[in-house]
Amino acid sequence: MEARGEGAGVQSADLTSGSGNEDEPVEDTTAQAVKPPEGRMTRIFGFEKEDFSSWHRIVCLLNRPTDPAALGIFRCMFGMLMAIDITQERGLSHLDYKYLDGAPICRFPLFSSLEPLPMDWMYLVYVVMLLGSVGIMLGLFYRLSCLMFISTYWYVFFLDKTAWNNHSYLYGLIGFQLALMDANRYWSLDGLMKPKKRNADVPLWNYTLLRVQIFIVYFIAGIKKLDADWVEGYSMSYLAHHWLFEPFQMILSVDQVSVLVVHGGGLALDLTAGYLLFFDATRPFGIVFVSYFHCMNSQLFSIGMFAYTMLATSPLFCYPDWPRRFFARFPAPLWVLLPITAPGPQPSSSCVYPEVQKGGKKAPKTPSSNTTPKVSQPRFRHKLATVFAFIYVVEQFFLPYSHFITQGYNNWTNGLYGYSWDMMVHSRSHQHVKITYKDGTTGEVGYLNPGVFTHSRRWKDHGDMLKQYAVCLSANLPRYNITEPEIYFDIWVSINERFQQRIFDPRVDIVKADWSPFRPNPWLMPLLVDLSPWRSKFQEIESSLDNQTEIVFIADFPGLHLENFVSEDLGNTSVQVLQGQVTVEITEENKNYTLETGQQMKLPHGAYHKVYTVSEGPSCYMYVYVNTTEAALQQNFTRLLGIQERVRNGTETEPLPPELLPLIATDDEGSEVNATDPVVQLFLRRQRRMKEVKKRREANVMERLNRFTVKKYYLLRRGFLMTAIALRNLAFGLPPVDQLTREVAFANMKEPLQEANQDGPLKEEAGHGEL
């Protein structure tokens, strides 16, 4: 895949034989070369159809000399972004929490035999990865740096499937590609140390692979978004409420913003981005659109460096010599610090040069002591590079649709999570998770806290990880006098706003259950897609309720039942059948009630009940409830706010009782501490957090920058100090425990108190997390 920009690379490659040593002129052997006229197809695509007429022509095309400038700039940007990513999303700053060295914890590697190294050695692994990324950025010991980065990166990647996503997979692919490319031929320290590498041509396939890779990311993501759930606006409907989409809400309703802008715009961009970036005429529009898209994504999602990495890939589609023209605009005194701006890379043995004619004869070769002779006939390395390029491209188009091979990883969505490019197509919510164990010797039944022995939540959606989790639990429970445990999971999931339903069979002991990566999962429950049309009715039902009433839609299979507990806070809870027939058993009363479609009954609070599906097909029902405790609390908040306002404006005539006096205090934190009434204390805490929200939203650019800088400083500070402690331990052994404790406490130093506790509590406030 080639944009017209490579034409500039070919011309500049033929104009001079080297700029690595500018003080030593080189004879121009092609100044009088006869160049064939450029055809229409070359102007549009950068090649002619004759370039594919034979294997020889294909090899020559993919190894055609191309300007290394754009590739070198991308290499530098990618290395820098990966160095930042290692400290954040890869987890260097919280590595001790990530791996919990020595703790009985359940892990989810790709291969069960793959385990993390001891903690101090894991820090060394990350140091090697970080040094590799910095080496890539600087172009220093380039091949070694790439090897250091990709070997440790893929090791960490395979260690934890719970951290897999599309962009983490993409980073590993790009690192692998760069390891095989000549990306250190421009703006690299290797070029300063080795003149033959400085500003040398790179073969066209270096650009082709990266461009095809980015095209695949966009285009396959668009193909996956042709799914009905995305087209109908159910995948990411909640995004329409984000402040970034408020300008669209001036002319569209929230539902229209969701369908037309969030889903329709995302689909259109993914399908067309690769084509817009490819052609000269549409590239400016493509760069504007994808830049706007990725800048929005950086604010919408916690995706680390992905948005910035994709921004860095866009210039790869431009003319390869764009950095020369860009940096040439800078003042001449700065050129010493900037990349080379002089046109004309020097020859490279990695490329195949066309045999140009001079006066009807072949032009003579005039090699210089500091340049590499031009290769005019493909060698074995060029043919091997061409074969690799074809195999890699075919493999990348095949992998997103290879789920018929790895069937054991297929759940409601297909394949190993991370290489399918089905980004944001599926959203899930979990309503009910229950883990039951049964002692294999005594038959004793008990329950486990969901997530025990692990800090991950992704095992709930993937059969392969659920199997690993069950095996891990069975290995850990015997230390608590539970022998030969059987483990059962009852997990209820809603995908793309459908009914909450079971994803795995709750009657199967997962410890002994059969699982293979190449066979369908026999204990996976089918997704009830036939009930998908109910989603439009959900919206009608929800719109008819008041703000204090909440609702949960349930679908269940014949012969199964849901055991549930109604909290004391939910004083007005009922169940209503939408489809099928159910029997409701009130456990304490030992009574059964059969409900048909349209019937409902009130459920006692503070008690267990069971809902059995007795119809031949799946049953559908809904819980309707009001959190009476929260409703009463909100009424109290409204009353206290009214009292506070009347006191402050002088219209309150009655003296305040002692428990309400903190309402008129000027010191928010002091009044919160001095409040004796718990309702008043919660009210004051809520007010303080709302002030913090308002302060953050109204902060100016400098205040936001300062807050961001302070946060990142303490993040990097902890990573650096913990890494230094680990390397010291490896070099000199463990110090006394009290010294190690002091060192870790120093590394854990938090940012100032007024900044430290804002993020978490503010996020909780929207859902009244403190209640």
Side-chain angles (χ1 to χ4, degrees):
M1 179 179 180
E2 174 198 3
R4 180 190 163 198
E6 272 66 24
V10 176
Q11 294 168 8
S12 61
D14 289 341
L15 288 176
T16 179
S17 60
S19 58
N21 188 345
E22 297 177 4
D23 295 331
E24 185 172 335
V26 180
E27 178 184 353
D28 185 356
T29 62
T30 60
Q32 303 177 17
V34 179
K35 289 184 63 65
E38 193 176 68
R40 175 180 175 83
M41 188 171 178
T42 300
R43 291 195 302 270
I44 297 177
F45 296 101
F47 56 82
E48 292 288 345
K49 61 181 180 180
E50 288 78 11
D51 290 327
F52 293 91
S53 60
S54 67
W55 172 248
H56 175 82
R57 296 290 296 270
I58 293 174
V59 173
C60 291
L61 172 65
L62 287 180
N63 289 275
R64 191 170 73 186
T66 311
D67 196 307
L71 183 62
I73 296 298
F74 172 73
R75 180 215 76 235
C76 182
M77 297 175 68
F78 177 77
M80 178 185 66
L81 292 170
M82 289 303 97
I84 299 173
D85 176 82
I86 289 167
T87 64
Q88 297 186 59
E89 192 172 359
R90 292 319 114 201
L92 177 60
S93 61
H94 55 275
L95 203 60
D96 48 332
Y97 297 116
K98 182 179 177 69
Y99 291 105
L100 295 175
D101 194 18
I105 185 172
C106 297
R107 308 185 191 278
F108 304 92
L110 178 61
F111 308 106
S112 298
S113 58
L114 191 63
E115 294 183 356
L117 300 173
M119 182 58 61
D120 290 339
W121 288 98
M122 285 303 300
Y123 273 103
L124 180 60
V125 168
Y126 272 70
V127 167
V128 172
M129 181 164 46
L130 181 61
L131 291 177
S133 64
V134 173
I136 292 174
M137 177 182 70
L138 299 176
L140 178 63
F141 305 118
Y142 177 67
R143 302 292 180 193
L144 177 62
S145 295
C146 287
L147 181 61
M148 291 167 60
F149 175 74
I150 63 174
S151 60
T152 51
Y153 184 92
W154 284 105
Y155 168 68
V156 171
F157 184 80
F158 289 143
L159 269 182
D160 186 12
K161 290 185 292 186
T162 66
W164 284 15
N165 49 44
N166 289 279
H167 63 265
S168 296
Y169 171 63
L170 177 64
Y171 297 161
L173 293 179
I174 293 178
F176 170 69
Q177 292 181 44
L178 288 177
L180 303 176
M181 296 177 179
D182 296 332
N184 62 335
R185 298 307 194 251
Y186 186 81
W187 206 26
S188 69
L189 295 181
D190 284 347
L192 292 178
M193 296 185 293
K194 299 179 180 180
K196 288 188 177 181
K197 289 186 177 181
R198 183 170 184 252
N199 197 30
D201 285 320
V202 297
L204 177 60
W205 68 265
N206 285 197
Y207 284 94
T208 301
L209 278 193
L210 287 170
R211 288 169 174 168
V212 170
Q213 184 69 73
I214 301 307
F215 176 85
I216 289 174
V217 172
Y218 284 121
F219 187 70
I220 299 298
I223 295 296
K224 296 298 181 78
K225 286 182 174 62
L226 292 174
D227 180 84
D229 285 358
W230 183 276
V231 174
E232 295 174 11
Y234 290 110
S235 296
M236 294 279 128
S237 60
Y238 66 89
L239 289 182
H241 299 277
H242 196 278
W243 64 267
L244 282 172
F245 296 99
E246 289 179 358
F248 298 101
Q249 295 176 14
M250 298 173 63
I251 56 175
L252 300 172
S253 66
V254 174
D255 290 338
Q256 289 173 329
V257 170
S258 174
V259 175
L260 299 178
V261 180
V262 176
H263 293 88
L267 172 63
L269 186 136
D270 279 338
L271 285 176
T272 60
Y275 297 101
L276 292 175
L277 292 171
F278 182 81
F279 296 104
D280 288 353
T282 58
R283 190 175 302 121
F285 302 101
I287 290 179
V288 170
F289 290 150
V290 300
S291 298
Y292 179 71
F293 175 73
H294 292 302
C295 288
M296 289 186 67
N297 283 345
S298 69
Q299 300 299 310
L300 289 170
F301 308 107
S302 298
I303 51 177
M305 295 294 106
F306 177 54
Y308 309 106
T309 303
M310 293 303 291
L311 287 173
T313 63
S314 296
L316 286 171
F317 291 85
C318 300
Y319 284 79
D321 67 339
W322 72 262
R324 301 179 189 275
R325 291 179 279 113
F326 175 76
F327 290 111
R329 300 174 183 270
F330 285 72
L334 297 178
W335 288 358
V336 178
L337 303 175
L338 297 176
I340 298 172
T341 58
Q346 64 173 324
S348 168
S349 60
S350 299
C351 305
V352 177
Y353 294 83
E355 295 183 358
V356 295
Q357 300 294 322
K358 188 175 181 180
K361 299 180 180 180
K362 289 185 179 181
K365 299 182 176 64
T366 56
S368 170
S369 60
N370 288 321
T371 60
T372 302
K374 292 184 177 181
V375 178
S376 59
Q377 292 297 324
R379 298 176 179 174
F380 176 75
R381 61 180 297 184
H382 303 123
K383 298 176 182 178
L384 184 63
T386 304
V387 171
F388 166 75
F390 272 103
I391 292 177
Y392 183 86
V393 169
V394 170
E395 175 257 350
Q396 282 298 303
F397 274 105
F398 170 75
L399 271 181
Y401 300 97
S402 63
H403 311 310
F404 63 92
I405 299 175
T406 56
Q407 298 183 67
Y409 295 100
N410 297 344
N411 297 288
W412 289 347
T413 57
N414 286 334
L416 275 167
Y417 18 87
Y419 65 82
S420 298
W421 312 120
D422 51 354
M423 294 172 281
M424 305 302 174
V425 177
H426 307 103
S427 61
R428 298 175 176 85
S429 64
H430 300 81
Q431 184 68 27
H432 179 78
V433 178
K434 183 173 70 173
I435 305 177
T436 306
Y437 69 82
K438 181 179 179 182
D439 192 304
T441 303
T442 65
E444 176 188 0
V445 175
Y447 303 94
L448 299 175
N449 181 33
V452 65
F453 297 120
T454 182
H455 47 214
S456 172
R457 297 179 294 178
R458 292 188 68 178
W459 54 267
K460 293 182 288 188
D461 299 311
H462 303 280
D464 57 306
M465 286 197 280
L466 194 74
K467 175 68 175 180
Q468 289 176 304
Y469 189 38
V471 172
C472 177
L473 290 176
S474 68
N476 281 297
L477 288 180
R479 68 181 64 182
Y480 299 96
N481 298 322
I482 302 171
T483 58
E484 300 179 5
E486 301 173 4
I487 308 294
Y488 302 88
F489 294 90
D490 194 12
I491 303 172
W492 293 74
V493 187
S494 170
I495 185 169
N496 292 346
E497 301 184 18
R498 290 182 173 83
F499 281 101
Q500 290 279 343
Q501 67 156 94
R502 287 182 168 96
I503 185 171
F504 302 111
D505 194 331
R507 300 164 294 188
V508 176
D509 173 17
I510 305 300
V511 177
K512 300 177 181 177
D514 179 51
W515 182 85
S516 168
F518 307 110
R519 295 194 302 270
N521 190 340
W523 31 275
L524 174 72
M525 305 295 281
L527 179 63
L528 297 173
V529 292
D530 293 341
L531 301 177
S532 297
W534 275 95
R535 289 181 292 191
S536 58
K537 299 180 182 179
F538 294 169
Q539 298 174 352
E540 298 176 5
I541 296 173
E542 290 172 340
S543 62
S544 65
L545 303 175
D546 57 52
N547 292 333
Q548 295 182 342
T549 303
E550 299 186 43
I551 195 166
V552 178
F553 299 97
I554 303 291
D556 203 3
F557 296 91
L560 298 179
H561 72 275
L562 168 63
E563 183 178 16
N564 212 344
F565 177 81
V566 179
S567 171
E568 293 281 358
D569 295 329
L570 309 181
N572 186 18
T573 303
S574 63
V575 59
Q576 179 177 341
V577 179
L578 302 174
Q579 176 179 305
Q581 183 181 40
V582 302
T583 296
V584 180
E585 176 188 346
I586 307 300
T587 307
E588 291 186 356
E589 299 177 3
N590 199 23
K591 292 183 178 179
N592 294 338
Y593 303 87
T594 300
L595 302 179
E596 303 282 350
T597 301
Q599 294 181 328
Q600 62 178 335
M601 67 172 290
K602 189 173 182 179
L603 299 171
H605 59 82
Y608 281 94
H609 67 274
K610 297 179 181 179
V611 182
Y612 295 85
T613 297
V614 295
S615 54
E616 293 184 359
S619 66
C620 306
Y621 53 93
M622 63 181 180
Y623 284 100
V624 183
Y625 60 95
V626 176
N627 191 326
T628 53
T629 300
E630 183 174 354
L633 193 59
Q634 290 298 325
Q635 292 178 356
N636 284 327
F637 281 179
T638 303
R639 179 178 63 86
L640 293 175
L641 182 61
I643 294 174
Q644 190 181 58
E645 291 178 349
R646 291 195 300 272
V647 170
R648 290 179 176 176
N649 60 29
T651 59
E652 178 63 41
T653 58
E654 299 292 333
L656 294 181
E659 64 271 14
L660 298 184
L661 289 178
L663 293 175
I664 60 176
T666 56
D667 182 6
D668 291 341
E669 292 188 10
S671 61
E672 181 182 323
V673 173
N674 295 328
T676 57
D677 189 301
V679 175
V680 175
Q681 193 176 34
L682 286 174
F683 172 76
L684 294 173
R685 185 185 306 169
R686 182 173 183 266
Q687 277 198 319
R688 176 171 60 83
R689 292 176 179 175
M690 291 178 67
K691 288 182 180 179
E692 292 172 352
V693 171
K694 183 178 180 181
K695 180 181 177 181
R696 293 190 65 178
R697 288 179 176 174
E698 296 177 353
N700 57 39
V701 175
M702 292 304 299
E703 291 173 337
R704 292 173 183 266
L705 179 60
N706 178 69
R707 186 167 59 240
F708 174 82
T709 303
V710 170
K711 181 179 179 181
K712 295 304 178 183
Y713 165 75
Y714 280 94
L715 184 76
L716 297 175
R717 175 185 180 275
R718 187 181 192 279
F720 173 78
L721 292 176
M722 293 298 294
T723 301
I725 292 172
L727 297 181
R728 188 275 317 276
N729 294 343
L730 290 175
F732 304 105
L734 288 172
V737 175
D738 56 343
Q739 177 184 340
L740 189 60
T741 302
R742 290 194 304 269
E743 292 173 346
V744 173
F746 180 71
N748 286 333
M749 183 186 298
K750 301 294 184 181
E751 53 191 295
L753 182 61
Q754 61 268 27
E755 299 285 339
N757 297 321
Q758 285 185 359
D759 290 346
L762 292 178
K763 292 178 181 178
E764 293 176 358
E765 182 58 41
H768 306 291
E770 76 276 20
L771 306 182

